[in-house]
Amino acid sequence: MSTPIDARAAGVRDRLRGGLTAAALTPMTGAGEVDLDVAESYFRRLAASGADALAVLAHTGRGPLLPAQVRAGVISRARRAGVPVVVGVGGARGGGASSAVEDARMAAELGADAVLVFPEPGDRVALHEAVWSAAGLPMIAFDLYTNPCPPATLRRILSLPGVAGLKTALLSDAMACQETIALTLEAGRLAITGEDRMFAASLLWGAQAALVGIAAASVGTTAAVLRAYEGADLRGFEKAAARLDRLAAATFTAPMEGYVQRMAWLAAAEGLVPEEYAHDPHGPALPDGERAKVLAA
């Protein structure tokens, strides 16, 4: 049974439905330096390549690891891309709910359209209530494989009026993904796939939109799957899904945290970012030959 939803949250839900939100990188040098002009150019190119919206400062953008001044600059520049902007909030080590609240307030002040609420230890319902009370921005809840949320808690989160939708990113747990999508649809919220490795399957299970790190580069490869599915082009859907699966197998693989660097390599190869800003200083070291394998895919 659907639950009451705030008009602002309903607006975001409806605006994102059927669309691809690219979980964008934050282009960095090997020393972690961020050039906001480079970032803005990258965001604009993602939108021009087929991203219907941008999610900045999420896991792919290493948002929880960036200082407030850089976060503010990234949000401001993303807004110039001409598409809705979702901002990742919380997730800082030891930050708890206070980190998410501070991040959400900044996002609201800078004109973001919505926030993606990172899972935090403790009372997750209270976390979302605090973010909504502090910022009044529509929220996308987040069921993440590193910290999955019990179904009973998900139901309570989905009943909150400020929640526009829920992103599932459970990596390899197909049954939990199906259940989370079903709970989201039952609540009348937007079911958003974050399943880079189960992308096509999650659409068949009922996901209505996508917010994925694999769209940090090769946006068209991801968008083609969505468009073929919406257009009832079964053969086109099959072919597009197979292409995306090959790319996901090369980028979203062990060590999983290495996917950010792999997507940065791909973004540089496609001319989305300069080579010197295609680094992830926060990720694990990757073996020799990894880059060639990613680009070959």
Side-chain angles (χ1 to χ4, degrees), residues 61-297:
R62 297 304 193 199
L65 304 175
L66 299 178
Q69 184 177 1
V70 173
R71 290 179 59 87
V74 167
I75 295 168
S76 297
R77 296 304 184 96
R79 290 194 63 239
R80 299 181 185 181
V83 295
V85 174
V86 179
V87 176
V89 300
R93 292 187 181 93
S98 62
S99 168
V101 166
E102 291 172 8
D103 292 345
R105 283 178 176 150
M106 176 189 289
E109 290 169 0
L110 294 173
D113 296 276
V115 291
L116 173 69
V117 184
F118 279 89
E120 298 276 10
D123 189 335
R124 298 196 192 191
V125 178
L127 168 66
H128 287 77
E129 290 174 331
V131 168
W132 176 248
S133 177
L137 275 181
M139 297 175 289
I140 296 173
F142 194 3
D143 196 13
L144 182 62
Y145 72 97
T146 57
N147 193 6
C149 192
T153 303
L154 286 177
R155 285 191 178 91
R156 292 175 61 199
I157 291 172
L158 287 164
S159 73
L160 299 175
V163 172
L166 189 152
K167 167 180 170 168
T168 174
L170 295 171
L171 186 63
S172 60
D173 192 337
M175 290 188 293
C177 178
Q178 289 172 317
E179 182 173 17
T180 297
I181 289 172
L183 291 174
T184 306
L185 296 175
E186 180 183 311
R189 293 341 192 241
L190 187 67
I192 305 169
T193 181
E195 302 291 358
D196 307 88
R197 292 300 299 264
M198 299 191 290
F199 189 88
S202 64
L203 296 178
L204 295 171
W205 296 334
Q208 303 161 302
L211 194 167
V212 284
I214 202 166
S218 291
V219 176
T221 306
T222 310
V225 183
L226 272 176
R227 304 302 172 240
Y229 181 72
E230 291 175 346
D233 177 5
L234 180 59
R235 185 58 178 156
F237 177 69
E238 179 187 4
K239 290 181 177 179
R243 286 194 297 271
L244 183 62
D245 283 346
R246 287 193 295 272
L247 180 60
T251 49
F252 285 77
T253 187
M256 194 56 63
E257 276 297 298
Y259 89 87
V260 177
Q261 180 60 75
R262 297 181 189 110
M263 295 308 301
W265 285 335
L266 194 55
E270 294 176 345
L272 298 175
V273 297
E275 189 70 38
E276 60 268 32
Y277 286 93
H279 296 272
D280 175 29
H282 303 289
L286 297 177
D288 294 340
E290 186 90 357
R291 180 170 184 158
K293 180 180 176 181
V294 169
L295 298 185

